[in-house]
Amino acid sequence: MEKEKMPFFNRFYLLFGLLFSGLVPLITYEVPVETLPAIVENTQTLSPINLSESFTPNNPVSVSAVTDTLSWSMYMWVIYSLITLVFLIRFSKNLYSFWQMIRTNPVVENCAMNLVLIPQNNTPYSFGKYVFVSRQAFEQDDIEPEILQHEQAHIRQRHTLDVLFIELVLAFCWWNPSVWLYRRAIRLNHEFLADDWVIKTHQNPPAYQYLLLHKISRHSGMTLASSFNYLLTKKRFKMMNKFTSRKRAYLLQTIALCVFSALVFVFSDISLAQNAPKVVPQSTTEADFVKDGVSQAMVEEYEKIVDKYLIRGGKDGKEIYRLDRPSEPDRARLEVIFRAMSKEQQLKQNWAMNPPLSPLPRITPTEKEFEAYKNAKVYGVWIDEKKVPNTVLNKYKASDFSQVFLSKLYKNAQATIGFKYKFQLDLMTNDYYEKYRDERLADKRYWLGSNREKFRLENQKK
């Protein structure tokens, strides 16, 4: 696109592309799919296991505690924060420099422009609605009209807004090489736009190109400014003499829009919506079931499937276990086998298929509690499963919520977030809670987790 003469479209193409790359992963599409094939169930008396309602199937299971040590992610966040701070200080310093020059130097109006007369003998450059020119050159009437018109184009087309935007993005995304390329492309395209403005007025490209070469030796040195000689390369000269037909421009613009539309589906979060499968007979024989439970072959099958999702690890000589969420066919098969086991067979398993959990109870915070939740140093707030700043609570009342779940973060967990808060607060709005409650009541599936009944009996013996 940079090689085609359509700088106006390219300007918004670049800005939209930068915003698009940051926002598209946040877009979620729900695609309905057919229900997965159903799995078997043997109609046999079950041995349910009592579980605590606060235990959820999506939570990882840990057998031993993790020691309180700072993770590498903590140090990486510190390094990132320091470098970002340097960029922000640099950005602020440049803004202050412009404000200082405007405040301390005379400002005159000329051709609907505000000229700031500075003592330095620099080529004119613009920022916001101001053009900074040499005072000596202005008093001697030594500033070519093409130069002023070039800077006037930057002002009227509000190029400063683009520059401020990309510089702020760069301050936080300095680690991304593509942002640096975007910065270069945006500023070069500004020059294409300003050059095009001048040429359409004066209709003399060779004379304007000669003027560019004559002024090439001087530069403003201000990184946020739109300077007359910024990126003076062969690309600008070629672009002045280039012609892109309207038909070709429309074709390229249509292709660009189609590519953006396709990328939305490629990089957005697509979730597959499906109904829970019914449990119906699968290929099992009578030999798989014995008088008291299931055969040894089925027990081994159960343990083999569980082992697929069991992540083992160790730290400081201690074993740590975590369960990943099984696929729906494996979950259904585990449910069938476990529910068909005898009580004795169930208690031999470290990992059990637990009955569906009841919805969390309806809890509305008191006004005093709700005010305390606004303290960002104590509470990290999630509303309807989305992390939000504590200040968002100012838009709500305590009665707007139907569920409150508070969990304490231990030191190792606090370290991963930079010790920002001590408690994680999960709130559900009234409508969200009703939807959550209906879904939880409708879901009759068992879920894989630790065998808490086994642990309970073992602790009783101790």
Side-chain angles (χ1 to χ4, degrees):
M1 302 291 280
E2 183 183 287
K3 296 180 180 180
E4 301 297 332
K5 191 168 185 177
M6 43 185 189
F8 182 79
F9 175 81
N10 284 350
R11 179 187 182 185
F12 293 97
Y13 172 83
L14 289 167
L15 293 173
F16 178 75
L18 193 60
L19 285 170
F20 175 85
S21 61
L23 296 178
V24 72
L26 305 179
I27 301 174
T28 301
Y29 288 96
E30 189 173 276
V31 181
V33 297
E34 294 182 1
T35 303
L36 290 171
I39 312 296
V40 89
E41 173 169 40
N42 177 269
T43 56
Q44 181 168 334
T45 304
L46 309 180
S47 301
I49 295 177
N50 296 324
L51 295 173
S52 170
E53 289 184 354
S54 62
F55 195 82
T56 61
N58 295 331
N59 289 340
V61 179
S62 179
V63 174
S64 61
V66 181
T67 56
D68 297 335
T69 56
L70 291 176
S71 64
W72 277 106
S73 61
M74 174 64 181
Y75 296 110
M76 295 302 294
W77 273 110
V78 170
I79 294 173
Y80 167 80
S81 300
L82 289 174
I83 297 178
T84 300
L85 181 62
V86 170
F87 275 90
L88 289 174
I89 292 174
R90 169 178 169 269
F91 178 77
S92 302
K93 183 179 178 181
N94 284 327
L95 289 178
Y96 177 77
S97 298
F98 284 116
W99 178 80
Q100 186 75 1
M101 283 191 292
I102 295 169
R103 191 175 65 87
T104 57
N105 293 293
V107 179
V108 298
E109 290 189 7
N110 181 280
C111 299
M113 290 184 294
N114 295 311
L115 302 182
V116 181
L117 308 182
I118 59 176
Q120 295 86 356
N121 189 26
N122 286 336
T123 300
Y125 55 93
S126 61
F127 181 80
K129 61 179 181 179
Y130 296 95
V131 178
F132 299 82
V133 300
S134 168
R135 182 170 185 170
Q136 179 182 355
F138 175 78
E139 292 173 348
Q140 296 176 358
D141 198 20
D142 194 25
I143 304 175
E144 293 83 351
E146 292 89 346
I147 295 180
L148 292 178
Q149 197 156 25
H150 181 100
E151 300 307 324
Q152 188 179 47
H154 286 306
I155 293 173
R156 290 191 176 184
Q157 295 176 14
R158 302 179 185 274
H159 292 170
T160 299
L161 297 179
D162 300 1
V163 174
L164 292 175
F165 171 70
I166 187 60
E167 291 293 335
L168 277 174
V169 172
L170 184 66
F172 291 95
C173 301
W174 48 265
W175 46 268
N176 190 337
S178 63
V179 176
W180 292 90
L181 296 176
Y182 264 107
R183 178 178 183 256
R184 171 192 168 278
I186 287 173
R187 304 197 74 169
L188 180 59
N189 192 66
H190 286 171
E191 300 308 311
F192 290 160
L193 285 164
D195 291 341
D196 189 57
W197 178 293
V198 174
I199 290 174
K200 284 181 179 178
T201 302
H202 292 275
Q203 301 291 329
N204 192 350
Y208 181 58
Q209 291 174 349
Y210 176 79
L211 180 62
L212 289 177
L213 290 172
H214 179 66
K215 300 292 183 180
I216 193 172
S217 60
R218 286 181 284 178
H219 190 272
S220 68
M222 303 297 293
T223 59
L224 295 184
S226 295
S227 172
F228 176 70
N229 54 22
Y230 179 77
L231 280 179
L232 186 57
T233 63
K234 291 182 180 180
K235 290 183 180 180
R236 288 178 64 183
F237 288 86
K238 289 181 179 179
M239 190 61 66
M240 293 178 198
N241 300 314
K242 194 174 183 63
F243 173 76
T244 299
S245 67
R246 181 174 298 181
K247 184 176 180 180
R248 179 176 174 80
Y250 285 154
L251 177 62
L252 291 173
Q253 292 168 15
T254 302
I255 293 174
L257 294 175
C258 291
V259 170
F260 272 125
S261 300
L263 291 176
V264 169
F265 292 96
V266 173
F267 293 105
S268 60
D269 182 14
I270 301 178
S271 61
L272 304 179
Q274 63 182 37
N275 297 322
K278 296 180 180 179
V279 182
V280 298
Q282 184 186 298
S283 57
T284 54
T285 65
E286 291 185 5
D288 290 326
F289 300 95
V290 296
K291 184 177 180 180
D292 295 319
V294 298
S295 66
Q296 182 61 29
M298 291 190 72
V299 172
E300 292 175 357
E301 179 187 354
Y302 178 90
E303 294 173 347
K304 184 177 180 181
I305 296 175
V306 170
D307 196 61
K308 285 169 55 178
Y309 300 99
L310 186 61
I311 309 300
R312 296 177 174 86
K315 194 166 187 178
D316 297 332
K318 298 179 180 179
E319 287 188 340
I320 300 173
Y321 297 94
R322 179 173 61 85
L323 276 175
D324 281 345
R325 193 173 187 177
S327 65
E328 184 54 32
D330 283 345
R331 186 213 62 78
R333 182 62 176 165
L334 289 171
E335 179 182 342
V336 168
I337 298 174
F338 188 81
R339 294 177 67 181
M341 288 181 182
S342 65
K343 182 74 172 180
E344 183 181 357
Q345 287 175 324
Q346 289 179 348
L347 292 175
K348 288 182 179 179
Q349 300 300 320
N350 289 328
W351 312 101
M353 292 304 294
N354 303 301
L357 294 175
S358 300
L360 293 170
R362 191 185 304 273
I363 301 175
T364 299
T366 64
E367 293 294 339
K368 183 177 180 180
E369 290 172 336
F370 189 71
E371 286 300 316
Y373 296 156
K374 298 178 182 180
N375 188 343
K377 294 182 179 180
V378 180
Y379 300 98
V381 179
W382 275 253
I383 296 180
D384 296 341
E385 299 186 290
K386 294 180 180 178
K387 180 72 171 72
V388 298
N390 295 61
T391 52
V392 172
L393 293 177
N394 293 324
K395 301 178 182 179
Y396 294 91
K397 305 186 298 294
S399 58
D400 292 332
F401 299 97
S402 291
Q403 220 295 311
V404 180
F405 192 91
L406 193 62
S407 54
K408 181 179 180 180
L409 299 181
Y410 290 94
K411 288 186 178 180
N412 59 313
Q414 292 184 41
T416 60
I417 59 171
F419 297 94
K420 293 180 181 178
Y421 47 83
K422 300 178 181 179
F423 296 92
Q424 177 172 324
L425 174 68
D426 292 274
L427 298 170
M428 292 189 193
T429 56
N430 297 330
D431 291 341
Y432 191 87
Y433 177 79
E434 293 301 328
K435 180 182 177 182
Y436 151 81
R437 186 176 184 277
D438 292 343
E439 290 177 353
R440 178 59 65 87
L441 290 174
D443 190 356
K444 303 301 182 182
R445 295 176 296 175
Y446 279 47
W447 53 274
L448 180 63
S450 63
N451 195 335
R452 305 189 75 180
E453 178 69 7
K454 176 183 177 181
F455 295 152
R456 184 183 67 81
L457 293 175
E458 290 177 348
N459 289 332
Q460 284 181 354
K461 292 179 181 179
K462 294 179 181 179

